[in-house]
Amino acid sequence: MPTLNDKDLNNNIVDVQSFAMNFGRKKVINNLSFNVRKGEVFGFLGANGAGKTTTIRTLLGLYEPTGGTLNIDGKRYNPRMSATIGYLPEERGLYRNELVINTMVYFAILHGLDENVARKRAFTYLKRVGLADKAYERLVKLSGGQQQKIQLGVTILHEPSLMILDEPTEALDPVNRSLLMDIIGERRSKGATVMLVTHRMDEVEQLCDRILMLKNGSAALYGKIDEVKEQFGPQIIVLNFSGKLPANDKLYKITKKSANYAELTWRENVSTDEVLKYLANNNELHLKTFDVRLPSLNDIFLELYKDEEAGK
Amino acid sequence: MSRLIDVISFEVRRNIKKKTFWYTTLVLPVIIIAVFAITQASSNHATNTSQQQTTSYSKTAKLAVLDETGLVNKQNLEKLHIAIEPNKQAGINAVKDGQLTAFFYYSNDVAKSGIQVYAQDQGITFTPPYNALASELLSQSAVAKISAATHNSQALQIIENAPSITATTYKNGAETNSLAGIVAPIIFFAIFIFFAIMISYFTIAATTEEKENRVAEILLTTIKSRSLIIGKILSILLLGIIQIIVIIVPLIIAYAIFHNHIRLPGGVSLSHIPLDPKAIAIGISVLLLGLVMFTGALVGFGSLFPSAQDASRYLALVIIWAFLPLYALGYIVSSPHAHIVTVFTYFPLTAPSTVLLRNAVGTLSNGEAVAAIIILFVSAIIAILFAIRAFSIGAMSYNKRISIKELFHQ
């Protein structure tokens, strides 16, 4: 596996500092700083139009930044470094009329592999993902999911030490999504760093060590998942109940409610004990279970972008 | 460098396997061969049919002549069962009455007034060879009389077939072969025009393919846009050369076999095609630089559009420059110092066609050739830089056309 040099004392493979990007008069990214550490899975999250793809394209030298620095392994990216990078873009595709094997070998060669090694690895990969019999098919003959697997193969065949995957599980069925997550997990276990762009919070919770949530071109939340959850704000009380859940603005606020389920956040200067005592003593309410926990990433995501959703 | 070779190799291999490449390559030679074969077959058929019709017609039809010139051979008339009619009006009346199929009248001043033919109308679907027979009767008899009078077989041959002309011309004391001398350098012009026709859409399609297939983003993170575009341009040129070879090789073989029999209009023999090293060197230089510039411009132009279909609507804006000098062909050949020729010679997009034409007809001075080559060299570099810039900017604009403003401000 090609390795990145290890001179970087703070162990960052990606380092973005004060990144700003304008398209004409439109500010897309504003003073964004973050880093990705070697060997971690980093979730790069945000709603559509938040600036994720712009950041990645600028990181990979496809755009020039308006301001700030974006480095990979301490340097501005250039295509000579492609042997260590595997990039699966959001807008993806391959030469539709070309044979699967030729496409995989061509891109592996461009990533610096010898043709024979590339061919051997391509066949191994195709066998792994159940497409060995499609090696000499034209890509256009393959289903969307099968093309997606070939696309991932093109991204990882040269065994990069940094993989930047933009919505890698998009358009995959659950079986293939699981297969792909396994492959990403394997790459990670061999020391590769993964920068994952996804809308699927379950994947983020499953895979990521740290995340950055981007909103309006700035980092809204950044850090380890638990830290982000704590940064985001109050824990929630999750209730399963029967009867009638009373409203009590002085103690808590009901954030989510259905017939027998509710989520509450409690007011400042009020403890969870007070809230639970109040609910337990309420004659019209019969509590079955309760839990005090941090909000899920999905909750955070929805809360963070609810004003944008409302704006729509 | 190795990635450049990888790109060229991949592009050439995958395009050469495409059916459309071979369709476009073979369509022109197939059309030329088909038209040539049909023309030859039609010509032979027409000649044979005409001769057969003339002979059989004279045997089956009832014909008569009145010859006031005394030139028409009486034995010929007997052989063809053609009667002699003593009176013009009687002959015309016999045709009107249906007693004769046709009546030919050769007046005393036939050379001036021409042969008069009176014949039955047999409908538009059948055209009897009245005219050919009437004409042949007179000309064969006249030739026979001259031949008998001169006792000179060469005179007879000269009358029957005009002799060929072998012209020897001199320039600055040295022997030249002006018309045949055009042949070699004009091939470079023909190749350039062929390239403009055959390769332009192919170039646009090859350029937008990355965008349409959403491959550009991966490519540009693995290979520098400069290497990718130069690789594309070189692969397109290579494919163009393959197309040209496919067309030219059969022509060279045909020339090797038939060169003693090929004549240009005006009787110019192609048994020997002069090769002027200077004209050939200028032709090669201008052709190569012109092709690189033209391909670079096309790649850049194609990169501005989201798809080949969109780009093809505006394709004429680029390729028209290759053909524009043909509108000034008269000036290029006869008035090389006209303002329009000067402008076309030095304006980069019209320079290749103009300079190649002037190089062929011999109106290009050494100074003009050097200046044009320098202009084309610089233009080719600018075209490649434009292509790289346009591809880099346009590669990720998947759904919209890139404006010139965006090209320079992004």
Side-chain angles (χ1 to χ4, degrees):
Chain A
M1 183 177 72
T3 54
L4 294 151
N5 80 54
D6 215 352
K7 287 176 189 167
D8 196 352
L9 292 174
N10 60 15
N11 206 31
N12 292 337
I13 191 167
V14 172
D15 188 33
V16 175
Q17 294 301 324
S18 309
F19 169 42
M21 188 71 170
N22 300 346
F23 287 132
R25 289 180 183 173
K26 190 182 173 192
K27 281 188 178 179
V28 179
I29 303 288
N30 184 27
N31 195 28
L32 177 66
S33 298
F34 68 94
N35 55 56
V36 179
R37 294 169 189 160
K38 285 179 185 170
E40 76 173 349
V41 179
F42 184 82
F44 193 53
L45 316 173
N48 291 333
K52 305 184 297 289
T53 300
T54 299
T55 303
I56 287 171
R57 285 178 176 173
T58 313
L59 178 67
L60 291 174
L62 297 168
Y63 294 154
E64 281 302 314
T66 308
T69 57
L70 300 94
N71 289 336
I72 293 178
D73 196 28
K75 296 186 287 282
R76 180 86 177 110
Y77 179 81
N78 74 70
R80 281 196 210 100
M81 296 158 70
S82 70
T84 57
I85 310 287
Y87 175 42
L88 181 69
E90 181 190 27
E91 290 278 1
R92 51 180 162 257
L94 294 165
Y95 293 104
R96 277 178 287 208
N97 290 311
E98 194 50 71
L99 301 183
V100 168
I101 188 70
N102 290 354
T103 303
M104 295 186 78
V105 170
Y106 175 57
F107 281 102
I109 289 171
L110 289 183
H111 279 108
L113 279 192
D114 171 76
E115 184 171 348
N116 291 331
V117 176
R119 195 166 291 275
K120 204 171 168 184
R121 284 194 194 173
F123 279 115
T124 307
Y125 175 82
L126 289 172
K127 203 171 169 188
R128 165 81 201 274
V129 298
L131 293 176
D133 59 331
K134 306 286 184 192
Y136 292 97
E137 291 273 355
R138 293 187 188 284
L139 273 153
V140 72
K141 299 268 171 98
L142 271 56
S143 70
Q146 289 171 331
Q147 288 186 28
Q148 181 89 325
K149 287 185 196 171
I150 303 302
Q151 189 92 47
L152 184 73
V154 164
T155 309
I156 66 168
L157 212 62
H158 56 295
E159 300 187 345
S161 50
L162 171 63
M163 297 195 295
I164 299 174
L165 310 174
D166 200 341
E167 301 287 354
T169 56
E170 191 80 8
L172 287 183
D173 60 41
V175 175
N176 283 318
R177 180 176 290 136
S178 169
L179 173 67
L180 191 140
M181 299 307 274
D182 286 349
I183 291 171
I184 294 172
E186 276 170 28
R187 295 293 317 130
R188 186 199 180 182
S189 69
K190 288 182 180 172
T193 308
V194 181
M195 192 171 167
L196 182 69
V197 179
T198 181
H199 291 294
R200 291 187 62 94
M201 295 304 140
D202 56 332
E203 288 173 2
V204 177
E205 300 236 25
Q206 184 189 335
L207 284 170
C208 294
D209 300 301
R210 294 192 308 137
I211 62 165
L212 183 146
M213 277 201 192
L214 200 60
K215 188 181 180 189
N216 298 329
S218 300
L221 294 165
Y222 172 48
K224 287 181 180 172
I225 290 182
D226 283 348
E227 288 171 358
V228 164
K229 286 179 177 179
E230 280 164 15
Q231 274 179 53
F232 181 70
Q235 292 181 308
I236 56 171
I237 299 172
V238 180
L239 303 176
N240 281 295
F241 64 91
S242 59
K244 189 182 171 189
L245 178 66
N248 187 332
D249 287 347
K250 286 179 183 172
L251 290 178
Y252 54 82
K253 181 184 168 191
I254 301 168
T255 54
K256 197 181 280 184
K257 187 184 172 191
S258 59
N260 300 307
Y261 175 88
E263 290 178 9
L264 317 176
T265 54
W266 57 96
R267 300 292 180 194
E268 279 180 41
N269 305 321
V270 174
S271 71
T272 47
D273 285 354
E274 283 176 82
V275 175
L276 292 172
K277 209 177 277 177
Y278 170 77
L279 292 172
N281 293 332
N282 191 299
N283 294 332
E284 293 180 338
L285 178 73
H286 174 62
L287 281 178
K288 291 178 182 172
T289 63
F290 70 88
D291 187 17
V292 180
R293 65 165 173 80
L294 288 166
S296 69
L297 280 180
N298 202 49
D299 296 328
I300 294 172
F301 191 88
L302 290 173
E303 187 64 23
L304 196 62
Y305 293 103
K306 71 178 180 189
D307 50 338
E308 284 188 12
E309 284 299 314
K312 285 177 189 172
Chain B
M1 186 67 185
S2 69
R3 287 191 181 174
L4 180 66
I5 293 167
D6 292 333
V7 172
I8 295 170
S9 162
F10 180 72
E11 292 284 337
V12 169
R13 273 193 291 181
R14 74 194 184 90
N15 281 302
I16 216 163
K17 284 187 283 183
K18 285 181 182 169
K19 286 178 186 169
T20 47
F21 174 79
W22 288 105
Y23 289 153
T24 51
T25 303
L26 295 172
V27 69
L28 194 64
V30 165
I31 288 172
I32 291 170
I33 290 167
V35 168
F36 182 74
I38 291 167
T39 310
Q40 285 297 309
S42 303
S43 169
N44 292 340
H45 178 72
T47 308
N48 294 339
T49 308
S50 171
Q51 284 168 353
Q52 284 165 6
Q53 279 185 350
T54 306
T55 312
S56 62
Y57 179 70
S58 63
K59 285 178 184 167
T60 55
K62 287 180 183 171
L63 304 171
V65 302
L66 170 55
D67 176 26
E68 290 177 355
T69 64
L71 286 170
V72 178
N73 188 313
K74 303 283 185 295
Q75 287 172 336
N76 264 359
L77 293 177
E78 275 175 35
K79 210 189 298 174
L80 295 169
H81 311 288
I82 299 173
I84 294 171
E85 179 61 53
N87 180 280
K88 181 185 175 186
Q89 195 52 50
I92 295 169
N93 289 341
V95 172
K96 283 181 181 172
D97 296 345
Q99 293 164 18
L100 283 177
T101 313
F103 167 62
F104 307 150
Y105 174 57
Y106 305 98
S107 66
N108 265 330
D109 61 344
V110 70
K112 216 179 199 180
S113 62
I115 304 165
Q116 292 172 31
V117 174
Y118 303 89
Q120 299 286 341
D121 180 2
Q122 295 182 29
I124 56 167
T125 54
F126 175 66
T127 310
Y130 313 119
N131 300 355
L133 181 58
S135 172
E136 258 179 47
L137 281 174
L138 185 64
S139 59
Q140 278 178 9
S141 304
V143 167
K145 272 193 194 301
I146 293 164
S147 175
T150 60
H151 301 290
N152 187 331
S153 61
Q154 195 158 250
L156 182 63
Q157 283 171 19
I158 288 168
I159 292 167
E160 283 182 329
N161 295 308
S164 63
I165 299 163
T166 305
T168 306
T169 53
Y170 298 90
K171 189 174 182 181
N172 301 328
E175 188 177 319
T176 61
N177 189 351
S178 55
L179 268 177
I182 289 174
V183 173
I186 203 81
I187 286 172
F188 297 109
F189 170 76
I191 290 172
F192 183 75
I193 291 296
F194 169 81
F195 193 90
I197 297 168
M198 303 295 282
I199 284 288
S200 50
Y201 183 77
F202 175 75
T203 305
I204 294 287
T207 307
T208 53
E209 188 179 18
E210 268 81 18
K211 211 187 289 192
E212 288 182 60
N213 286 337
R214 306 290 196 264
V215 191
E217 206 166 331
I218 304 178
L219 277 175
L220 289 177
T221 55
T222 53
I223 182 168
K224 285 185 172 179
S225 53
R226 188 180 60 206
S227 302
L228 182 65
I229 290 302
I230 292 174
K232 264 192 178 296
I233 290 173
L234 291 178
S235 65
I236 289 165
L237 290 175
L238 266 176
L239 290 163
I241 288 167
I242 292 169
Q243 288 189 316
I244 288 161
I245 287 171
V246 168
I247 292 164
I248 280 190
V249 165
L251 291 178
I252 291 172
I253 294 170
Y255 175 75
I257 298 169
F258 300 111
H259 65 278
N260 284 327
H261 306 284
I262 303 171
R263 279 177 180 280
L264 290 179
V268 177
S269 169
L270 287 185
S271 58
H272 171 67
I273 294 179
L275 298 175
D276 174 5
K278 189 187 89 182
I280 301 292
I282 292 172
I284 290 172
S285 309
V286 172
L287 176 66
L288 286 179
L289 290 171
L291 291 182
V292 171
M293 181 197 68
F294 196 66
T295 310
L298 279 168
V299 169
F301 178 77
S303 300
L304 302 177
F305 293 86
S307 69
Q309 203 179 359
D310 284 320
S312 63
R313 286 189 213 140
Y314 303 93
L315 187 57
L317 291 175
V318 181
I319 62 169
I320 195 163
W321 299 100
F323 296 91
L324 206 57
L326 290 174
Y327 289 99
L329 187 60
Y331 289 105
I332 288 170
V333 172
S334 56
S335 308
H337 300 296
H339 291 315
I340 190 161
V341 178
T342 307
V343 170
F344 280 177
T345 301
Y346 297 126
F347 181 63
L349 291 169
T350 51
S353 302
T354 311
V355 174
L356 290 172
L357 274 171
R358 291 187 63 189
N359 184 44
V361 298
T363 63
L364 188 72
S365 70
N366 290 344
E368 286 173 319
V370 170
I373 286 170
I374 291 170
I375 287 170
L376 282 174
F377 180 76
V378 173
S379 305
I381 292 171
I382 291 170
I384 291 171
L385 292 175
F386 162 64
I388 293 168
R389 176 81 182 160
F391 192 85
S392 304
I393 300 290
M396 276 154 296
S397 181
Y398 295 112
N399 300 312
K400 76 176 187 73
R401 180 155 49 103
I402 297 293
S403 68
I404 298 296
K405 192 180 162 192
E406 284 173 291
L407 193 63
F408 291 106
H409 287 89
Q410 212 172 89

